[in-house]
Amino acid sequence: PLYSFHEWQVWLYCFYQNTLQALSSVVALGANIICNKIPGLAPRQRALCQNRPDAIIVIGEGAQLGINECQHQFRYGRWNCSALGERTVFGQELRVGSREAAFTYAITAAGVAYAVTAACSQGNLSQCGCDREKQGYHEQEEGWKWGGCSADVKYGVEFSRRFVDAREIKKNARRLMNLHNNEAGRKVLEERMKLECKCHGVSGSCTTKTCWITLPKFREIGYLLKERYSDAVQVEPVRASRLRQPSFLRIKESRGFQKPTDTDLVYLERSPNYCEEDTITGSTGTKGRLCNGTSAHSDGCNVMCCGRGYNTHHYTRVWQCHCKFHWCCFVKCNTCSEKSEAFTCK
């Protein structure tokens, strides 16, 4: 039968709406399946995953970014982050509330905020983009205006706060420690955002200048948090009088109720020595680890091997060297060799 133009419009509209509903149902079903299979997610994290399935990949990349940086910063230590991320990049991995746990939580929270901010700037996430608050404003005293695509670090930090902090369910001292270190990692990222500018004018002159905010290299965040790790503060919980639940943390053995600063890393328990394998402390032990036979630092064999001694391995590398072309037509080479040795902990 023939339809009027108006009837075709109604039919197409209904078809379009039904198709959208079907597609949204498929997407929702897929998100449920995917999010239910990810290990280590807390209930609120799983709900956020289902609502924002496009973000879960970015969050995972951010958490992995933090783990990779942790492994780089501690590559020469007894504890080298090697056990982190083996089961999942989400969820608590270190049971002991040590300095190492403090660093892990801070670098992971910073990594998620960093990855989300970068994805927003690149247009890879829905519901976010460049920081629009700065667009068009002028800095009269400095003589430049905001332009380009400023990284929306506030969105990244808030998203990290919603997702990473959601795993802290139990109302105990460890929860307060983890939340503080999460926030410290994000705070360090916010403080290290950089201002980049570009000049505009004839023949290289700077008649006008536009500036925008960019992310720093994440390695810089890693170094800063490693410094915070070295100066980490031991804390203890202060309990509310009625509920007997910990309400805040204070610096241990301090006078009064002195609290740590926002960017301090805090810990509750002293670190184990990480010499032997122990799944509870997250230690993989140092047996078989490469060490430096001449170093007196943490990578030295005496420190790394915990007094157990070390094995020496001798290697000889042979290769063709000093090759010359002779007319006509062959190449003649000498044989070079180099002896080296490596040390591994017993």
Side-chain angles (χ1 to χ4, degrees):
L2 295 175
Y3 296 100
S4 67
F5 181 72
H6 176 70
E7 289 173 326
W8 271 112
Q9 281 185 311
V10 172
W11 185 87
L12 285 172
Y13 176 80
C14 293
F15 175 80
Y16 179 71
Q17 291 298 321
N18 291 334
T19 302
L20 282 181
Q21 289 177 2
L23 285 173
S24 63
S25 298
V26 170
V27 171
L29 178 62
N32 278 326
I33 294 172
I34 292 170
C35 296
N36 288 333
K37 287 188 175 181
I38 297 176
L41 290 182
R44 282 196 295 163
Q45 289 178 322
R46 205 173 299 281
L48 185 59
C49 173
Q50 291 166 353
N51 290 331
R52 294 292 306 278
D54 62 325
I56 197 66
I57 296 175
V58 176
I59 292 169
E61 290 171 349
Q64 188 62 57
L65 180 68
I67 292 171
N68 292 344
E69 186 60 28
C70 180
Q71 291 172 348
H72 174 81
Q73 294 295 335
F74 289 87
R75 64 195 183 281
Y76 298 130
R78 289 178 181 173
W79 180 76
N80 62 354
C81 298
S82 60
L84 296 181
E86 287 184 350
R87 188 177 66 87
T88 175
V89 295
F90 307 106
Q92 183 172 306
E93 302 241 17
L94 294 179
R95 299 180 190 176
V96 177
S98 60
R99 290 172 180 261
E100 291 72 34
F103 182 89
T104 299
Y105 278 76
I107 198 72
T108 302
V112 171
Y114 189 98
V116 170
T117 303
C120 289
S121 298
Q122 295 160 7
N124 295 332
L125 268 184
S126 61
Q127 302 181 22
C128 67
C130 304
D131 187 352
R132 300 297 180 188
E133 290 184 5
K134 295 181 173 62
Q135 290 290 342
Y137 286 94
H138 286 72
E139 289 288 338
Q140 300 293 343
E141 295 181 2
E142 301 292 333
W144 54 266
K145 68 176 182 178
W146 288 106
C149 179
S150 284
D152 194 353
V153 69
K154 289 182 180 179
Y155 184 92
V157 164
E158 182 56 34
F159 205 102
S160 170
R161 192 176 288 128
R162 285 173 58 201
F163 184 86
V164 178
D165 292 5
R167 66 187 172 196
E168 304 304 329
I169 301 171
K170 297 180 180 178
K171 295 183 178 180
N172 54 19
R174 181 61 190 272
R175 173 179 179 270
L176 294 177
M177 171 191 154
N178 294 342
L179 290 176
H180 179 96
N181 291 317
N182 289 347
E183 201 61 32
R186 292 186 287 255
K187 187 75 172 176
V188 167
L189 173 63
E190 281 189 288
E191 290 179 351
R192 301 307 295 185
M193 297 297 289
K194 297 185 180 298
L195 182 70
E196 286 192 5
C197 297
K198 183 178 181 180
C199 283
H200 309 277
V202 181
S203 301
S205 65
C206 205
T207 308
T208 60
K209 185 166 65 172
T210 56
C211 301
W212 59 92
I213 297 294
T214 63
L215 285 162
K217 298 290 185 184
F218 196 69
R219 180 58 39 83
E220 184 179 339
I221 305 302
Y223 281 125
L224 287 168
L225 288 177
K226 181 68 181 296
E227 291 176 4
R228 301 289 195 281
Y229 162 86
S230 300
D231 298 327
V233 178
Q234 188 170 16
V235 293
E236 59 185 2
V238 176
R239 301 185 183 279
S241 57
R242 292 183 179 180
L243 301 176
R244 304 301 298 165
Q245 291 178 349
S247 54
F248 66 92
L249 299 172
R250 71 165 187 174
I251 298 175
K252 194 170 184 179
E253 298 178 356
S254 65
R255 294 181 179 179
F257 295 99
Q258 184 180 353
K259 295 181 180 180
T261 68
D262 292 342
T263 55
D264 279 337
L265 295 192
V266 301
Y267 65 97
L268 294 166
E269 304 166 80
R270 294 187 180 277
S271 301
N273 58 28
Y274 296 107
C275 289
E276 305 296 335
E277 185 176 358
D278 187 346
T279 55
I280 294 177
T281 61
S283 171
T284 56
T286 61
K287 183 179 179 181
R289 286 279 303 278
L290 284 170
C291 59
N292 188 331
T294 59
S295 174
H297 302 293
S298 60
D299 63 332
C301 292
N302 289 333
V303 177
M304 179 74 73
C305 304
C306 307
R308 299 188 305 265
Y310 54 91
N311 297 315
T312 304
H313 309 273
H314 297 281
Y315 301 96
T316 302
R317 186 169 72 95
V318 180
W319 71 97
Q320 297 293 306
C321 62
H322 307 304
C323 296
K324 291 184 178 180
F325 177 77
H326 292 267
W327 185 265
C328 176
C329 294
F330 66 93
V331 177
K332 187 176 181 181
C333 299
N334 295 333
T335 300
C336 293
S337 64
E338 180 183 60
K339 292 184 178 181
S340 61
E341 57 185 8
F343 309 98
T344 57
C345 292
K346 291 183 177 179

PDB file of all heavy atoms in Angstrom, residues 320-339:
ATOM      1  N   GLN A 320      81.890 -12.015  15.160  1.00  0.00           N
ATOM      2  CA  GLN A 320      82.769 -11.610  14.065  1.00  0.00           C
ATOM      3  C   GLN A 320      82.995 -10.100  14.150  1.00  0.00           C
ATOM      4  O   GLN A 320      82.044  -9.333  14.281  1.00  0.00           O
ATOM      5  CB  GLN A 320      82.132 -11.963  12.718  1.00  0.00           C
ATOM      6  CG  GLN A 320      81.917 -13.461  12.500  1.00  0.00           C
ATOM      7  CD  GLN A 320      83.233 -14.208  12.381  1.00  0.00           C
ATOM      8  OE1 GLN A 320      84.086 -13.870  11.571  1.00  0.00           O
ATOM      9  NE2 GLN A 320      83.397 -15.238  13.205  1.00  0.00           N
ATOM     10  N   CYS A 321      84.249  -9.681  14.048  1.00  0.00           N
ATOM     11  CA  CYS A 321      84.548  -8.263  14.200  1.00  0.00           C
ATOM     12  C   CYS A 321      85.637  -7.836  13.225  1.00  0.00           C
ATOM     13  O   CYS A 321      86.313  -8.674  12.607  1.00  0.00           O
ATOM     14  CB  CYS A 321      84.964  -7.957  15.634  1.00  0.00           C
ATOM     15  SG  CYS A 321      86.459  -8.820  16.149  1.00  0.00           S
ATOM     16  N   HIS A 322      85.842  -6.507  13.104  1.00  0.00           N
ATOM     17  CA  HIS A 322      86.892  -5.912  12.248  1.00  0.00           C
ATOM     18  C   HIS A 322      86.847  -6.491  10.842  1.00  0.00           C
ATOM     19  O   HIS A 322      87.879  -6.890  10.268  1.00  0.00           O
ATOM     20  CB  HIS A 322      88.279  -6.115  12.854  1.00  0.00           C
ATOM     21  CG  HIS A 322      88.396  -5.652  14.269  1.00  0.00           C
ATOM     22  ND1 HIS A 322      88.098  -4.368  14.677  1.00  0.00           N
ATOM     23  CD2 HIS A 322      88.775  -6.322  15.406  1.00  0.00           C
ATOM     24  CE1 HIS A 322      88.289  -4.259  15.977  1.00  0.00           C
ATOM     25  NE2 HIS A 322      88.692  -5.420  16.450  1.00  0.00           N
ATOM     26  N   CYS A 323      85.666  -6.555  10.289  1.00  0.00           N
ATOM     27  CA  CYS A 323      85.497  -7.146   8.962  1.00  0.00           C
ATOM     28  C   CYS A 323      85.972  -6.169   7.885  1.00  0.00           C
ATOM     29  O   CYS A 323      85.722  -4.962   7.971  1.00  0.00           O
ATOM     30  CB  CYS A 323      84.038  -7.510   8.730  1.00  0.00           C
ATOM     31  SG  CYS A 323      83.440  -8.799   9.856  1.00  0.00           S
ATOM     32  N   LYS A 324      86.630  -6.704   6.852  1.00  0.00           N
ATOM     33  CA  LYS A 324      87.116  -5.886   5.742  1.00  0.00           C
ATOM     34  C   LYS A 324      86.750  -6.550   4.420  1.00  0.00           C
ATOM     35  O   LYS A 324      86.822  -7.775   4.279  1.00  0.00           O
ATOM     36  CB  LYS A 324      88.627  -5.694   5.819  1.00  0.00           C
ATOM     37  CG  LYS A 324      89.072  -4.812   6.972  1.00  0.00           C
ATOM     38  CD  LYS A 324      90.576  -4.578   6.929  1.00  0.00           C
ATOM     39  CE  LYS A 324      91.025  -3.649   8.057  1.00  0.00           C
ATOM     40  NZ  LYS A 324      92.503  -3.414   8.006  1.00  0.00           N
ATOM     41  N   PHE A 325      86.421  -5.702   3.436  1.00  0.00           N
ATOM     42  CA  PHE A 325      86.102  -6.190   2.105  1.00  0.00           C
ATOM     43  C   PHE A 325      87.391  -6.211   1.270  1.00  0.00           C
ATOM     44  O   PHE A 325      88.122  -5.217   1.214  1.00  0.00           O
ATOM     45  CB  PHE A 325      85.061  -5.281   1.450  1.00  0.00           C
ATOM     46  CG  PHE A 325      84.737  -5.677   0.044  1.00  0.00           C
ATOM     47  CD1 PHE A 325      83.909  -6.750  -0.224  1.00  0.00           C
ATOM     48  CD2 PHE A 325      85.289  -4.978  -1.028  1.00  0.00           C
ATOM     49  CE1 PHE A 325      83.612  -7.112  -1.524  1.00  0.00           C
ATOM     50  CE2 PHE A 325      84.995  -5.339  -2.328  1.00  0.00           C
ATOM     51  CZ  PHE A 325      84.160  -6.417  -2.579  1.00  0.00           C
ATOM     52  N   HIS A 326      87.683  -7.361   0.665  1.00  0.00           N
ATOM     53  CA  HIS A 326      88.879  -7.513  -0.171  1.00  0.00           C
ATOM     54  C   HIS A 326      88.467  -7.668  -1.627  1.00  0.00           C
ATOM     55  O   HIS A 326      87.527  -8.389  -1.959  1.00  0.00           O
ATOM     56  CB  HIS A 326      89.689  -8.745   0.278  1.00  0.00           C
ATOM     57  CG  HIS A 326      90.312  -8.579   1.640  1.00  0.00           C
ATOM     58  ND1 HIS A 326      91.598  -8.114   1.829  1.00  0.00           N
ATOM     59  CD2 HIS A 326      89.811  -8.823   2.890  1.00  0.00           C
ATOM     60  CE1 HIS A 326      91.867  -8.072   3.122  1.00  0.00           C
ATOM     61  NE2 HIS A 326      90.784  -8.503   3.791  1.00  0.00           N
ATOM     62  N   TRP A 327      89.220  -6.958  -2.527  1.00  0.00           N
ATOM     63  CA  TRP A 327      88.948  -7.029  -3.978  1.00  0.00           C
ATOM     64  C   TRP A 327      89.650  -8.236  -4.557  1.00  0.00           C
ATOM     65  O   TRP A 327      90.850  -8.420  -4.327  1.00  0.00           O
ATOM     66  CB  TRP A 327      89.446  -5.757  -4.643  1.00  0.00           C
ATOM     67  CG  TRP A 327      89.090  -5.694  -6.100  1.00  0.00           C
ATOM     68  CD1 TRP A 327      89.870  -6.069  -7.143  1.00  0.00           C
ATOM     69  CD2 TRP A 327      87.865  -5.236  -6.631  1.00  0.00           C
ATOM     70  NE1 TRP A 327      89.224  -5.873  -8.307  1.00  0.00           N
ATOM     71  CE2 TRP A 327      87.964  -5.359  -8.037  1.00  0.00           C
ATOM     72  CE3 TRP A 327      86.683  -4.746  -6.089  1.00  0.00           C
ATOM     73  CZ2 TRP A 327      86.939  -4.995  -8.899  1.00  0.00           C
ATOM     74  CZ3 TRP A 327      85.675  -4.387  -6.948  1.00  0.00           C
ATOM     75  CH2 TRP A 327      85.800  -4.514  -8.335  1.00  0.00           C
ATOM     76  N   CYS A 328      88.968  -9.044  -5.377  1.00  0.00           N
ATOM     77  CA  CYS A 328      87.539  -9.131  -5.463  1.00  0.00           C
ATOM     78  C   CYS A 328      87.215 -10.602  -5.312  1.00  0.00           C
ATOM     79  O   CYS A 328      87.809 -11.432  -5.997  1.00  0.00           O
ATOM     80  CB  CYS A 328      87.023  -8.568  -6.786  1.00  0.00           C
ATOM     81  SG  CYS A 328      85.242  -8.760  -7.009  1.00  0.00           S
ATOM     82  N   CYS A 329      86.420 -11.095  -4.498  1.00  0.00           N
ATOM     83  CA  CYS A 329      85.349 -10.402  -3.822  1.00  0.00           C
ATOM     84  C   CYS A 329      85.032 -11.222  -2.581  1.00  0.00           C
ATOM     85  O   CYS A 329      84.281 -12.212  -2.680  1.00  0.00           O
ATOM     86  CB  CYS A 329      84.090 -10.287  -4.684  1.00  0.00           C
ATOM     87  SG  CYS A 329      84.312  -9.254  -6.148  1.00  0.00           S
ATOM     88  N   PHE A 330      85.628 -10.912  -1.475  1.00  0.00           N
ATOM     89  CA  PHE A 330      85.297 -11.618  -0.246  1.00  0.00           C
ATOM     90  C   PHE A 330      85.513 -10.700   0.944  1.00  0.00           C
ATOM     91  O   PHE A 330      86.194  -9.678   0.857  1.00  0.00           O
ATOM     92  CB  PHE A 330      86.134 -12.899  -0.109  1.00  0.00           C
ATOM     93  CG  PHE A 330      87.611 -12.640   0.063  1.00  0.00           C
ATOM     94  CD1 PHE A 330      88.174 -12.552   1.335  1.00  0.00           C
ATOM     95  CD2 PHE A 330      88.439 -12.469  -1.049  1.00  0.00           C
ATOM     96  CE1 PHE A 330      89.523 -12.305   1.487  1.00  0.00           C
ATOM     97  CE2 PHE A 330      89.788 -12.226  -0.896  1.00  0.00           C
ATOM     98  CZ  PHE A 330      90.343 -12.141   0.368  1.00  0.00           C
ATOM     99  N   VAL A 331      84.921 -11.076   2.059  1.00  0.00           N
ATOM    100  CA  VAL A 331      85.031 -10.326   3.307  1.00  0.00           C
ATOM    101  C   VAL A 331      85.792 -11.172   4.314  1.00  0.00           C
ATOM    102  O   VAL A 331      85.484 -12.357   4.512  1.00  0.00           O
ATOM    103  CB  VAL A 331      83.639  -9.965   3.875  1.00  0.00           C
ATOM    104  CG1 VAL A 331      83.778  -9.250   5.224  1.00  0.00           C
ATOM    105  CG2 VAL A 331      82.868  -9.092   2.902  1.00  0.00           C
ATOM    106  N   LYS A 332      86.776 -10.573   4.932  1.00  0.00           N
ATOM    107  CA  LYS A 332      87.570 -11.273   5.935  1.00  0.00           C
ATOM    108  C   LYS A 332      87.354 -10.625   7.298  1.00  0.00           C
ATOM    109  O   LYS A 332      87.460  -9.402   7.443  1.00  0.00           O
ATOM    110  CB  LYS A 332      89.044 -11.246   5.568  1.00  0.00           C
ATOM    111  CG  LYS A 332      89.917 -12.098   6.479  1.00  0.00           C
ATOM    112  CD  LYS A 332      91.360 -12.119   6.010  1.00  0.00           C
ATOM    113  CE  LYS A 332      92.215 -13.002   6.913  1.00  0.00           C
ATOM    114  NZ  LYS A 332      93.637 -13.016   6.465  1.00  0.00           N
ATOM    115  N   CYS A 333      87.060 -11.445   8.293  1.00  0.00           N
ATOM    116  CA  CYS A 333      86.773 -10.940   9.648  1.00  0.00           C
ATOM    117  C   CYS A 333      87.687 -11.597  10.671  1.00  0.00           C
ATOM    118  O   CYS A 333      88.178 -12.720  10.471  1.00  0.00           O
ATOM    119  CB  CYS A 333      85.322 -11.218  10.035  1.00  0.00           C
ATOM    120  SG  CYS A 333      84.080 -10.441   8.984  1.00  0.00           S
ATOM    121  N   ASN A 334      87.899 -10.890  11.736  1.00  0.00           N
ATOM    122  CA  ASN A 334      88.542 -11.474  12.905  1.00  0.00           C
ATOM    123  C   ASN A 334      87.471 -12.006  13.853  1.00  0.00           C
ATOM    124  O   ASN A 334      86.290 -11.670  13.737  1.00  0.00           O
ATOM    125  CB  ASN A 334      89.398 -10.437  13.627  1.00  0.00           C
ATOM    126  CG  ASN A 334      90.566  -9.971  12.784  1.00  0.00           C
ATOM    127  OD1 ASN A 334      91.049 -10.711  11.923  1.00  0.00           O
ATOM    128  ND2 ASN A 334      91.015  -8.740  13.020  1.00  0.00           N
ATOM    129  N   THR A 335      87.891 -12.814  14.795  1.00  0.00           N
ATOM    130  CA  THR A 335      86.974 -13.323  15.812  1.00  0.00           C
ATOM    131  C   THR A 335      87.259 -12.615  17.132  1.00  0.00           C
ATOM    132  O   THR A 335      88.393 -12.647  17.623  1.00  0.00           O
ATOM    133  CB  THR A 335      87.124 -14.838  15.994  1.00  0.00           C
ATOM    134  OG1 THR A 335      86.839 -15.479  14.752  1.00  0.00           O
ATOM    135  CG2 THR A 335      86.160 -15.357  17.055  1.00  0.00           C
ATOM    136  N   CYS A 336      86.255 -11.954  17.648  1.00  0.00           N
ATOM    137  CA  CYS A 336      86.387 -11.249  18.932  1.00  0.00           C
ATOM    138  C   CYS A 336      85.608 -11.995  20.005  1.00  0.00           C
ATOM    139  O   CYS A 336      84.615 -12.674  19.718  1.00  0.00           O
ATOM    140  CB  CYS A 336      85.864  -9.824  18.832  1.00  0.00           C
ATOM    141  SG  CYS A 336      86.825  -8.747  17.770  1.00  0.00           S
ATOM    142  N   SER A 337      86.030 -11.865  21.226  1.00  0.00           N
ATOM    143  CA  SER A 337      85.339 -12.500  22.353  1.00  0.00           C
ATOM    144  C   SER A 337      85.382 -11.579  23.559  1.00  0.00           C
ATOM    145  O   SER A 337      86.272 -10.734  23.685  1.00  0.00           O
ATOM    146  CB  SER A 337      85.967 -13.850  22.693  1.00  0.00           C
ATOM    147  OG  SER A 337      87.305 -13.679  23.126  1.00  0.00           O
ATOM    148  N   GLU A 338      84.405 -11.758  24.410  1.00  0.00           N
ATOM    149  CA  GLU A 338      84.311 -10.933  25.614  1.00  0.00           C
ATOM    150  C   GLU A 338      83.792 -11.797  26.754  1.00  0.00           C
ATOM    151  O   GLU A 338      82.799 -12.502  26.601  1.00  0.00           O
ATOM    152  CB  GLU A 338      83.364  -9.762  25.371  1.00  0.00           C
ATOM    153  CG  GLU A 338      83.210  -8.846  26.572  1.00  0.00           C
ATOM    154  CD  GLU A 338      82.211  -7.733  26.303  1.00  0.00           C
ATOM    155  OE1 GLU A 338      81.040  -8.064  26.029  1.00  0.00           O
ATOM    156  OE2 GLU A 338      82.586  -6.558  26.369  1.00  0.00           O
ATOM    157  N   LYS A 339      84.494 -11.754  27.862  1.00  0.00           N
ATOM    158  CA  LYS A 339      84.075 -12.519  29.033  1.00  0.00           C
ATOM    159  C   LYS A 339      83.294 -11.625  29.980  1.00  0.00           C
ATOM    160  O   LYS A 339      83.630 -10.450  30.164  1.00  0.00           O
ATOM    161  CB  LYS A 339      85.288 -13.110  29.750  1.00  0.00           C
ATOM    162  CG  LYS A 339      86.006 -14.186  28.953  1.00  0.00           C
ATOM    163  CD  LYS A 339      87.147 -14.803  29.751  1.00  0.00           C
ATOM    164  CE  LYS A 339      87.818 -15.930  28.949  1.00  0.00           C
ATOM    165  NZ  LYS A 339      88.932 -16.564  29.728  1.00  0.00           N
TER     166      LYS A 339
END
